[in-house]
Amino acid sequence: MKFPKGFPVDGVTKLNGKEYITHNGLIFLMTKAGQWSSTVDHVERVFGEDGLPIYMEVTVTVMLDGNTHAAIGDASVANTGRAISNALPRMAHTRAMNRAMRAALGI
C-alpha cells in the first residue's frame, strides 16, 4: 500500500500477515482527504448484575466533503481482551468510527 507523505509510522499494523490501517492512519487520511467531522448517533448499553457494562453498541456518522457514512461498532466482554473490558464504551466508539472512516475513504 502506498501512503501520502507524512503518513504516521503507527498508521499500519499487521495482523495474520495482512496490513490494516490503524485509527491514527485513518485520522491522517481523513484529514488529507478534506473537511470531515463525526457524530455519535446512538448508544446502546447492557449492564451486568454488578452494574458494569458487558455490552456496548455505538453508531457513528462520519461526514467527508458533504457525504455521510454511518457505521455500528460493538464491544463486549466476549470480544475484547481483559485490558479493554473496562473501556467498552470507548472501544465501541473507536470501532464504529474506524468503520465509518474506512467507508468514507473507500478502504
Side-chain angles (χ1 to χ4, degrees):
M1 234 179 207
K2 220 174 184 182
F3 299 108
K5 186 176 181 174
F7 190 79
V9 176
D10 62 348
V12 175
T13 190
K14 254 189 181 172
L15 296 171
N16 300 322
K18 189 174 177 185
E19 287 187 333
Y20 291 92
I21 299 175
T22 66
H23 185 75
N24 287 344
L26 289 167
I27 296 288
F28 177 86
L29 292 174
M30 288 291 288
T31 302
K32 284 287 198 186
Q35 282 288 99
W36 72 281
S37 65
S38 69
T39 58
V40 174
D41 304 313
H42 174 76
V43 177
E44 181 179 327
R45 299 171 177 93
V46 176
F47 296 92
E49 290 179 13
D50 58 3
L52 297 174
I54 57 172
Y55 176 81
M56 295 291 302
E57 183 178 289
V58 177
T59 304
V60 171
T61 297
V62 170
M63 295 176 70
L64 176 62
D65 290 334
N67 297 310
T68 60
H69 305 273
I72 295 171
D74 68 279
S76 70
V77 293
N79 70 13
T80 60
R82 189 176 206 129
I84 301 298
S85 64
N86 66 346
L88 298 182
R90 292 177 297 285
M91 178 56 79
H93 176 264
T94 300
R95 288 175 174 177
M97 191 166 176
N98 287 352
R99 286 185 179 117
M101 288 189 293
R102 282 185 175 94
L105 293 167
I107 298 174

